[in-house]
């Protein structure tokens, strides 16, 4: 069974940093491109970032470009999202996702 | 960016009736390989999105045959035949033809 388990969320002040992790199991992680997708409270879905299976291709939404960094460690079956210069509008539930499977999400709240 | 626009449902939908959700894209999602890069997801209350349909009309593993997807390059429909209680939630269409992936605003289904 495919499992994606996110961690690392929490309450953080504006301008600070936070790093999310997503541990994958139940499939060959190194074969799949992975994404971070977020959902602000009561709102729709917003794609955030993508990384290819071997990290050769990386894309970001314009709203996070220059502030967020997606990375992965295939030996540890883990996906990361380093978030810096956080803003209140980054407050959301962050999902780690293959196209066909999503984790349960981790909440990030940016507030003073 | 490709803009995805979803229609609304005449809620609530009587149990056992059919429901159709529409989605339009600002650019054709039909690739030269003949595939249409359109997904449908269902997000049940309190859960992460679940893939229902990919390539516009292919049901994901384990998805009821009450769900069917159809359309052209820019106009798409998700049909739910004989709506049941477990179908309640928000439906999203999403294009994966190019990054940034973009989602429709969501269509809420409520049961009568």
């Amino acid at each position: 069974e495919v499992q994606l388990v996110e961690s690392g969320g929490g309450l953080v002040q504006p301008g600070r940093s936070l790093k999310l992790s997503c541990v994958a199991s139940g499939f060959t992680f190194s074969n799949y491109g992975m994404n971070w997708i977020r959902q602000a409270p009561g709102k729709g879905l917003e794609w955030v970032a993508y990384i290819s299976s071997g990290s050769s291709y990386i894309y970001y939404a314009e709203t996070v470009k220059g502030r967020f960094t997606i990375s992965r460690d295939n030996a540890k079956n883990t996906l990361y999202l380093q978030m810096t210069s956080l803003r209140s509008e980054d407050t959301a539930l962050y999902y780690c996702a293959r196209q066909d499977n999503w984790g349960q999400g981790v909440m990030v709240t940016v507030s003073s | 960016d490709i803009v995805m626009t979803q229609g609304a449902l005449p809620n609530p939908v009587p149990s056992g009736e059919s429901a159709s959700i529409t989605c339009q894209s600002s650019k054709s999602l039909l690739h030269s390989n003949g595939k249409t890069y359109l997904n449908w997801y269902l997000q049940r209350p309190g859960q992460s999105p679940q893939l229902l349909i990919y390539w516009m009309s292919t049901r994901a593993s384990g998805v009821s045959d009450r769900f069917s997807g159809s359309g052209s390059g820019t106009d798409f429909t998700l049909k739910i035949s004989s709506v049941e209680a477990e179908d309640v939630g928000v439906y999203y269409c999403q294009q994966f033809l190019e990054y940034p992936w973009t989602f429709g605003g969501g269509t809420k289904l409520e049961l009568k």
Side-chain angles (χ1 to χ4, degrees):
Chain A
E1 180 194 3
V2 172
Q3 282 203 315
L4 299 166
V5 180
E6 303 94 338
S7 62
L11 174 62
V12 62
Q13 292 180 326
R16 303 298 291 265
S17 300
L18 203 60
K19 187 172 186 176
L20 306 183
S21 300
C22 169
V23 176
S25 61
F27 66 103
T28 305
F29 180 69
S30 59
N31 286 351
Y32 287 84
M34 297 294 296
N35 299 271
W36 287 100
I37 297 167
R38 67 185 181 184
Q39 187 171 34
K43 301 296 184 182
L45 300 167
E46 180 189 16
W47 170 82
V48 172
Y50 165 83
I51 185 168
S52 62
S53 58
S55 303
S56 297
Y57 300 96
I58 290 176
Y59 307 114
Y60 296 99
E62 284 297 322
T63 52
V64 307
K65 195 175 290 183
R67 299 188 299 122
F68 290 11
T69 302
I70 189 172
S71 62
R72 64 191 296 162
D73 185 336
N74 286 342
K76 295 183 178 179
N77 289 345
T78 303
L79 177 72
Y80 302 101
L81 186 67
Q82 176 70 54
M83 304 183 293
T84 64
S85 302
L86 282 162
R87 306 166 180 168
S88 58
E89 54 263 39
D90 295 319
T91 293
L93 189 62
Y94 283 74
Y95 295 103
C96 161
R98 263 174 38 171
Q99 186 159 258
D100 57 344
N101 279 278
W102 297 41
Q104 287 304 302
V106 60
M107 190 67 201
V108 172
T109 303
V110 183
S111 175
S112 54
Chain B
D1 298 358
I2 299 175
V3 177
M4 305 297 291
T5 304
Q6 289 184 233
L9 276 173
N11 281 316
V13 178
S15 178
E17 294 287 302
S18 66
S20 292
I21 301 170
T22 61
C23 172
Q24 270 192 329
S25 59
S26 61
K27 175 180 176 178
S28 176
L29 304 184
L30 176 60
H31 193 275
S32 56
N33 63 12
K35 295 186 176 183
T36 303
Y37 285 57
L38 188 280
N39 289 332
W40 286 100
Y41 293 90
L42 165 60
Q43 186 173 32
R44 296 186 175 97
Q47 295 186 17
S48 56
Q50 171 198 357
L51 180 66
L52 297 175
I53 302 285
Y54 60 97
W55 299 133
M56 187 180 69
S57 60
T58 303
R59 270 189 303 276
S61 175
V63 173
S64 169
D65 60 5
R66 295 185 298 101
F67 292 91
S68 61
S70 63
S72 63
T74 58
D75 292 90
F76 313 100
T77 301
L78 175 70
K79 183 176 179 181
I80 312 164
S81 62
S82 190
V83 169
E84 299 178 358
E86 66 180 20
D87 302 334
V88 165
V90 180
Y91 291 80
Y92 294 94
C93 60
Q94 176 234 339
Q95 67 80 19
F96 59 106
L97 179 69
E98 60 188 41
Y99 282 97
W101 284 359
T102 46
F103 295 85
T107 300
K108 192 171 188 178
L109 186 149
E110 298 171 333
L111 201 63
K112 191 173 185 179

